[in-house]
Amino acid sequence: SGLYEGAYRVGPSDSFSSAEIVVALKRERRVVTRAAAHGRLSTPQTPPGVAWVRGGTTYIRSAPESGFILFPAPGTRLLTTARVEGWAKVELTPSLSGWIEEKSLERLPAGTPPPAAVVGTIRAAAAPGSTVISLDLSQQVPYEVEESPDLDRVTLRLYYSAGHTNWVIYDDQDDFLRQVRWEQRGSDVVEVTADLRPGRRLWGYDVSYKERSLRLELRHPPAIAPKPRSALSGRVIIVDPGHSPSSPGAIGPHRTLEMDVNYALAKELEALLSAEGAQPVVTRSSPADEVTLGERMRLAWSRRGDAFVSVHNNALADGENPFDRPHGYSVFFYHPHSLALARATHQAYGRDALLPSEGLRYGNLMVARATQMPSILTESAYLMYPDQEDLLLTPAKRREFARAMLEGLRRFFEAERERQAAAGWPPPPPAPRAKAKTAPGPKQGAAPRTGAARAQPKKNTKRP
């Protein structure tokens, strides 16, 4: 008696329809008993095909309704190998597969060649506030970007790709990159790595396709205003009051809508930032403004934000015990380049400790996934608790939450100012050139002495 477990992994060459599943129990290599399961098993009969990604936000997941692997851009080609209830299986490499919703794909005709790109010449060019790396790429394929923990290296990984890079061309005016390297990883993955110069760090990045090339823009840290000016002076801070009327968020006991509290908090933060000399940009122009997540991210990048703060308040999921542990504030980040801002903001929330901490958190949230700048999402309080709702509805207490966000931003930019000073960056401007002394002009009535005349040698009037 007892419970026994076993497994059989369906292989790529297996093919069967409504097959019987037989389980055998062995002891000392001898079958003790055998039984058939009630269910039957069929392998997917979908032949491999090619599809391209429609517009909008799309995810390749590790399994249907599971975690994210990649975020393919519209127009990206994918090799599909199976279909299961509205999901398509995508083969990225022979050892890496994922799943994408069928509604996100446009199927190409049978016989379309599988995606296969060739990576050609790589060029690096200096741009205002950034360095742009362009890759000649014959086809739009899925990619991912990996940042090093110290933000001194960026790796671009291209799937369905073969390297044919004979040239890497640098820009004499660029002082951000140290080296660009490429490597063929297996038969169908190319890795392009950008190493930064000593003392330089990545601030964020943007990836886009243009015709037959891929463009990777590496943002430089902004030059922070020197003391005694505020480190926030001149910085463009995107302040994002979470939610909109179509998705108002949590609702408090007094019927308080989270979208309204978020907006009030954001306006408090906007005023505090303006007083510091910053340039805040609020993504919602009024409490009733309807703004999609994609529009918020596009606005942040179009304004070249130096940091992004999405202002939220929390709620518990249905069925969760509200008394199992203390609930309070939390701060979320996603990319390594956002960690320092998230940590500084989380510590600032703990300064006055209006509520207990629920920790600094990695969160796979769309606004926290902003690649172009440090981006965080704050949860100041739980709107569903009456006492915490009162805090959010009291102007003086609400201002304290906004001050915590301000303090986090200030500490983050002050730390960047100190880091730049320690690294000797940005370099001091060149000293002004001393003015050359000019010879006195000719006397009135005298013939002017020209440069040509001065250059002529004196005639030798002495006789030998």
Side-chain angles (χ1 to χ4, degrees):
S1 62
L3 178 65
Y4 301 86
E5 295 183 3
Y8 174 78
R9 184 180 182 87
V10 179
S13 62
D14 289 336
S15 178
F16 39 81
S17 177
S18 192
E20 188 179 46
I21 305 170
V22 178
V23 180
L25 178 63
K26 295 182 178 182
R27 181 180 298 154
E28 296 178 354
R29 299 184 180 181
R30 183 174 59 86
V31 175
V32 175
T33 185
R34 191 188 305 269
H38 293 294
R40 289 179 174 269
L41 190 65
S42 300
T43 54
Q45 300 301 310
T46 307
V50 178
W52 58 267
V53 177
R54 301 178 189 266
T57 304
T58 307
Y59 316 106
I60 296 178
R61 300 172 181 260
S62 56
E65 302 291 355
S66 191
F68 301 150
I69 298 178
L70 296 179
F71 308 94
T76 299
R77 290 197 173 198
L78 300 169
L79 177 64
T80 63
T81 58
R83 298 184 189 183
V84 177
E85 297 180 350
W87 291 85
K89 190 175 184 180
V90 174
E91 182 181 296
L92 297 169
T93 71
S95 60
L96 178 63
S97 296
W99 294 83
I100 187 170
E101 289 187 276
E102 277 278 355
K103 64 182 182 181
S104 301
L105 298 177
E106 183 74 29
R107 293 279 176 175
L108 295 176
T112 300
V118 176
V119 182
T121 300
I122 301 174
R123 299 172 178 83
S130 63
T131 298
V132 178
I133 301 174
S134 299
L135 292 77
D136 290 347
L137 196 64
S138 62
Q139 195 176 103
Q140 186 167 326
V141 292
Y143 64 83
E144 62 178 328
V145 178
E146 182 179 335
E147 307 170 21
S148 68
D150 294 331
L151 304 179
D152 59 354
R153 183 186 308 111
V154 183
T155 299
L156 172 68
R157 193 169 292 113
L158 297 162
Y159 294 94
Y160 309 137
S161 297
H164 187 57
T165 301
N166 295 326
W167 306 98
V168 177
I169 304 172
Y170 296 90
D171 186 346
D172 294 342
Q173 303 302 314
D174 179 67
D175 55 10
F176 193 64
L177 280 178
R178 181 171 65 87
Q179 183 183 16
V180 176
R181 302 175 282 116
W182 77 274
E183 185 177 359
Q184 187 76 46
R185 291 283 190 175
S187 60
D188 49 9
V189 176
V190 171
E191 284 188 355
V192 177
T193 301
D195 297 311
L196 307 187
R197 291 178 183 263
R200 307 307 306 270
R201 280 163 56 109
L202 180 72
W203 193 257
Y205 65 86
D206 181 67
V207 184
S208 59
Y209 280 104
K210 184 178 181 181
E211 296 176 352
R212 293 174 67 86
S213 67
L214 182 143
R215 184 178 185 272
L216 172 62
E217 180 174 351
L218 306 180
R219 289 196 73 187
H220 304 174
I224 310 301
K227 295 179 179 179
R229 294 170 62 191
S230 168
L232 288 166
S233 179
R235 302 279 58 86
V236 178
I237 309 298
I238 310 300
V239 181
D240 174 45
H243 294 284
S244 288
S246 63
S247 177
I251 302 177
H254 295 296
R255 309 302 298 170
T256 305
L257 296 180
E258 184 192 345
M259 70 172 189
D260 295 335
V261 173
N262 295 345
Y263 185 80
L265 264 173
K267 296 299 286 185
E268 295 273 12
L269 179 57
E270 178 189 29
L272 294 172
L273 286 167
S274 296
E276 293 269 340
Q279 301 175 30
V281 177
V282 181
T283 60
R284 278 202 285 141
S285 59
S286 71
D289 197 13
E290 184 70 47
V291 185
T292 66
L293 295 177
E295 289 169 342
R296 297 166 198 247
M297 308 315 298
R298 286 190 289 273
L299 173 65
W301 184 222
S302 68
R303 296 296 296 270
R304 288 302 191 268
D306 295 311
F308 184 102
V309 180
S310 191
V311 180
H312 285 253
N313 286 280
N314 221 334
L316 295 177
D318 291 343
E320 191 171 345
N321 183 357
F323 307 110
D324 64 341
R325 56 185 173 84
H327 292 85
Y329 65 88
S330 54
V331 180
F332 292 81
F333 75 98
Y334 185 79
H335 293 291
H337 67 254
S338 300
L339 174 57
L341 174 58
R343 179 171 285 123
T345 305
H346 182 260
Q347 291 172 348
Y349 265 93
R351 179 194 57 190
D352 295 326
L354 293 175
L355 293 171
S357 168
E358 290 196 279
L360 176 64
R361 300 185 172 199
Y362 163 90
N364 195 347
L365 306 165
M366 184 172 177
V367 289
R369 292 200 305 265
T371 65
Q372 297 93 349
M373 66 208 72
S375 177
I376 62 172
L377 184 146
T378 63
E379 300 276 13
S380 296
Y382 276 77
L383 193 61
M384 60 181 296
Y385 291 96
D387 57 333
Q388 297 193 27
E389 181 188 34
D390 289 342
L391 288 176
L392 293 167
L393 295 177
T394 304
K397 297 297 183 183
R398 188 169 62 237
R399 196 167 298 115
E400 288 300 309
F401 289 124
R403 287 190 183 279
M405 296 181 228
L406 173 74
E407 183 65 21
L409 285 161
R410 185 195 291 122
R411 290 182 183 181
F412 170 69
F413 282 98
E414 285 176 349
E416 176 60 24
R417 177 164 60 188
E418 293 174 3
R419 193 197 68 79
Q420 290 181 9
W425 191 263
R433 298 177 61 182
K435 293 184 178 179
K437 293 183 179 180
T438 57
K443 293 181 180 180
Q444 187 174 4
R449 297 178 63 190
T450 65
R454 287 196 300 270
Q456 292 176 355
K458 293 182 180 179
K459 293 183 179 180
N460 185 2
T461 59
K462 294 183 180 180
R463 293 180 180 272

